[in-house]
Amino acid sequence: MLLDWFTVVAQALNFLILVWLLKHFLYQPILDAIDGREHQIATKLAEAEANKIEARKEREEFRQKNEAFEQRRATLWSSVEDEASLERQRLLNEARKEVEGFRNKWQAALSKEHQSLSEEITRQTREEVFAITRKALKDLAAISLEAQMTDIFVQRLLGLSSTERQELQSAFQTASPPTIVRSTFHLPAPQRHAIEAVAKDVLGIQTQLQFETDPHSVCGIELTANGHKVAWSISDYLITLKSRLDELLKQPPKPSVKPSGLSKP
Amino acid sequence: MHLSPDDTIIWQYGIFRLNTTIVATWGLMLFLIIGSTIITRNLSTALKRSRWQNLLEIIVMAILKQIEEVGLSHPRKYLSFLGTIFLFIALASLGTIIPGYEAPTGSLSTTVALALCVFVAVPLFGIEEHGLGGYLKSYLKPTFIMLPFNIISELSRTLALAVRLFGNMMSGAMIVGILLSIIPFLFPLVMSLLGLLTGMVQAYIFSILATVYIAAATRTRHVPSHSNPKVTP
């Protein structure tokens, strides 16, 4: 017998029991787990979407802030650059002025120094010239410098042309006394007499001459009265000497010649 | 040689006969219930889950998808019934790899019982969906002349369900038994593998036909019928 009705009923019951059991122990828990996971995933996706929107919003905010910051930075930088440029210009101007001032001072100091040096050279030269001349004259002809100077002064007066003599005579005769004879050194009595004599003869001066010594004046003898002056001095020689010295100083220095015996090994 | 495992009586008391079919069915039921209980005891709703949970989820979701594809709009309502049919028949066929095991689906009593369950379930689902009057009217469609043919169709398809499954399962076991006596090596193994495949196919066919019958009973008539999958054994 292929069909056993008891077995049929029992199997139908078994099957229905199995349906019920599997529903409670298999399908429902599995479906619940799947639903839970789907819900969880949906929640996470929603959260992710919300986070994404939030992130986008924050990114936009950040971008705007960044742009504002960049603009502010550019503005500040520009103003700082302008200020720095102005400050630089101001400092440069100050520095230029300062340099200009220093240069002017330096040039003035240099000029002053040059002048004092020139005066010193002139003075030294004069003294040296006098000393040399004095010694040379004394050694060669046993005559003094004062005598020679007086002699030259007298010779110069005597050597004047007649026109010059007339002009000088008219000038000194109209001049009010005293007539001053000024010399660098003290003139001895013979020289004074000689000058007085030639002044009387050549210039027609009748009044007593007044002799003065001025050690700071340019070396020589001068005769002055009321703005008129007849003089002889060594200033021409000194000017010539000074111009030659200046020319020598302006020349570039020549290279020094090494001694042959001192060459380095 | 016996044709059905019903013939092997283990215990009898009056009309109560405890045969191999019933015992094997109990064994399968125990296996299914204990296995399900163990796996579903610590189910995880997180993304990370156990392999067994994953397996069960795949099976359940595949059954649901299949039911939905046939045309049932609320597949979860029918999952318990149709899913159990498939799992029971498939597991009964899979058990044939155990030596000495006789599939309860190789018994006509079991297949008839399953077919009767489908036979009862189809009108119940139909009545639940359309009401008693609405369901009974479906037997008069398209004309009242079709009423006897519809009733015959109901009965014959139930009989066909039962006999198809029984024939396939029984034939597989019979072929293996016969071949074992003729060619004891290798060939019965190949046939056994073929029987395993046949069992799986039969599990699918039985459950999908049950789904189609239920879908036909619960579907509203204006829905085009060409969406029904044409399943032929």
Side-chain angles (χ1 to χ4, degrees):
Chain A
M1 184 69 181
L2 285 176
L3 197 61
D4 178 14
W5 284 107
F6 172 75
T7 310
V8 170
V9 174
Q11 287 295 78
L13 278 174
N14 283 338
F15 176 73
L16 292 175
I17 291 165
L18 185 64
V19 167
W20 187 81
L21 287 173
L22 283 184
K23 184 181 180 183
H24 285 277
F25 291 106
L26 180 64
Y27 303 124
Q28 204 56 49
I30 291 288
L31 289 175
D32 288 346
I34 290 169
D35 288 345
R37 186 177 304 113
E38 281 181 355
H39 182 257
Q40 209 173 1
I41 289 169
T43 309
K44 281 185 179 175
L45 282 176
E47 280 177 8
E49 188 63 27
N51 287 338
K52 198 174 167 185
I53 290 167
E54 184 68 20
R56 199 176 290 144
K57 193 179 162 189
E58 283 182 2
R59 190 181 65 184
E60 188 62 25
E61 279 180 8
F62 178 74
R63 194 181 61 76
Q64 285 177 355
K65 280 182 184 174
N66 211 17
E67 278 180 5
F69 174 74
E70 282 294 326
Q71 283 180 353
R72 183 170 164 71
R73 194 176 72 89
T75 310
L76 284 173
W77 185 252
S78 176
S79 68
V80 165
E81 274 186 340
D82 291 346
E83 283 177 12
S85 179
L86 287 173
E87 184 65 16
R88 180 171 169 272
Q89 197 59 40
R90 191 182 66 76
L91 289 172
L92 276 175
N93 289 337
E94 279 184 6
R96 279 200 194 101
K97 282 178 187 171
E98 207 169 336
V99 167
E100 190 71 22
F102 279 132
R103 193 169 63 184
N104 289 339
K105 279 182 187 174
W106 176 74
Q107 278 182 343
L110 195 65
S111 177
K112 197 174 176 183
E113 193 179 348
H114 187 261
Q115 193 178 355
S116 66
L117 186 66
S118 178
E119 286 174 358
E120 183 65 20
I121 287 170
T122 306
R123 193 182 60 78
Q124 289 280 344
T125 309
R126 187 191 64 194
E127 286 178 2
E128 287 296 320
V129 165
F130 284 153
I132 291 165
T133 310
R134 197 187 302 273
K135 187 168 174 39
L137 287 174
K138 196 173 181 180
D139 291 348
L140 291 172
I143 51 176
S144 69
L145 178 62
E146 290 80 5
Q148 190 62 28
M149 280 173 61
T150 306
D151 195 28
I152 289 171
F153 183 67
V154 168
Q155 289 298 325
R156 171 112 5 136
L157 285 176
L158 290 174
L160 289 172
S161 63
S162 58
T163 313
E164 287 171 339
R165 282 189 183 192
Q166 282 177 4
E167 284 177 3
L168 284 170
Q169 280 175 2
S170 61
F172 278 102
Q173 280 171 3
T174 55
S176 57
T179 305
I180 300 166
V181 176
R182 191 176 286 120
S183 61
T184 310
F185 314 107
H186 177 73
L187 292 173
Q191 276 75 31
R192 289 190 180 192
H193 294 312
I195 290 170
E196 281 175 348
V198 79
K200 192 179 287 182
D201 292 341
V202 175
L203 301 175
I205 299 169
Q206 300 301 326
T207 56
Q208 188 70 30
L209 293 177
Q210 185 179 334
F211 289 92
E212 290 180 357
T213 303
D214 183 7
H216 297 292
S217 68
V218 178
C219 180
I221 298 169
E222 65 178 21
L223 193 150
T224 59
N226 200 21
H228 297 282
K229 185 169 84 174
V230 176
W232 173 88
S233 74
I234 65 164
S235 62
D236 293 338
Y237 306 137
L238 291 177
I239 288 165
T240 308
L241 183 63
K242 187 185 172 191
S243 64
R244 285 182 180 172
L245 275 174
D246 288 342
E247 283 176 6
L248 281 173
L249 288 171
K250 284 176 185 174
Q251 282 180 359
K254 290 178 181 176
S256 60
V257 180
K258 288 181 182 177
S260 59
L262 295 175
S263 61
K264 288 184 180 177
Chain B
M1 180 181 285
H2 59 271
L3 286 177
S4 170
D6 295 356
D7 298 339
T8 312
I9 309 291
I10 296 169
W11 179 80
Q12 186 170 8
Y13 182 78
I15 60 164
F16 298 102
R17 284 193 300 274
L18 200 60
N19 53 31
T20 315
T21 307
I22 295 173
V23 172
T25 304
W26 285 350
L28 290 174
M29 285 169 72
L30 270 177
F31 179 79
L32 277 171
I33 299 306
I34 291 170
S36 301
T37 309
I38 290 170
I39 294 170
T40 58
R41 195 171 47 192
N42 294 314
L43 282 179
S44 163
T45 53
L47 290 176
K48 195 175 180 182
R49 52 198 183 267
S50 69
R51 292 177 182 180
W52 290 109
Q53 181 182 345
N54 221 10
L55 176 70
L56 283 189
E57 283 185 10
I58 288 168
I59 291 169
V60 169
M61 290 311 291
I63 294 169
L64 273 178
K65 194 177 174 189
Q66 200 63 49
I67 294 170
E68 196 172 15
E69 280 181 1
V70 169
L72 289 169
S73 53
H74 303 290
R76 289 193 179 196
K77 195 164 81 177
Y78 311 101
L79 175 67
S80 304
F81 183 73
L82 296 171
T84 307
I85 288 175
F86 176 76
L87 285 180
F88 178 71
I89 298 171
L91 197 67
S93 303
L94 197 65
T96 53
I97 59 172
I98 301 168
Y101 167 85
E102 282 187 278
T105 44
S107 151
L108 186 61
S109 306
T110 307
T111 56
V112 166
L114 291 175
L116 282 174
C117 286
V118 174
F119 180 75
V120 174
V122 168
L124 283 179
F125 283 125
I127 290 166
E128 187 192 36
E129 191 71 25
H130 299 294
L132 182 62
Y135 177 72
L136 289 177
K137 276 181 187 171
S138 69
Y139 283 95
L140 303 173
K141 301 277 177 70
T143 60
F144 69 93
I145 302 167
M146 294 300 288
L147 175 66
F149 299 106
N150 281 330
I151 293 168
I152 291 167
S153 166
E154 287 286 327
L155 294 171
S156 65
R157 76 185 185 189
T158 306
L159 184 67
L161 268 182
V163 174
R164 184 189 300 113
L165 180 60
F166 165 69
N168 278 290
M169 297 310 294
M170 187 268 290
S171 65
M174 289 289 287
I175 287 169
V176 171
I178 293 164
L179 284 175
L180 270 174
S181 61
I182 300 170
I183 310 165
F185 300 110
L186 292 175
F187 199 63
L189 182 68
V190 177
M191 290 311 293
S192 185
L193 282 173
L194 190 63
L196 206 61
L197 177 67
T198 310
M200 289 295 156
V201 171
Q202 286 306 313
Y204 178 74
I205 289 171
F206 196 101
S207 53
I208 211 78
L209 282 174
T211 312
V212 169
Y213 298 155
I214 292 169
T218 56
R219 185 173 299 145
T220 48
R221 292 297 172 185
H222 63 268
V223 176
S225 59
H226 61 74
S227 62
N228 290 343
K230 289 177 181 174
V231 180
T232 51

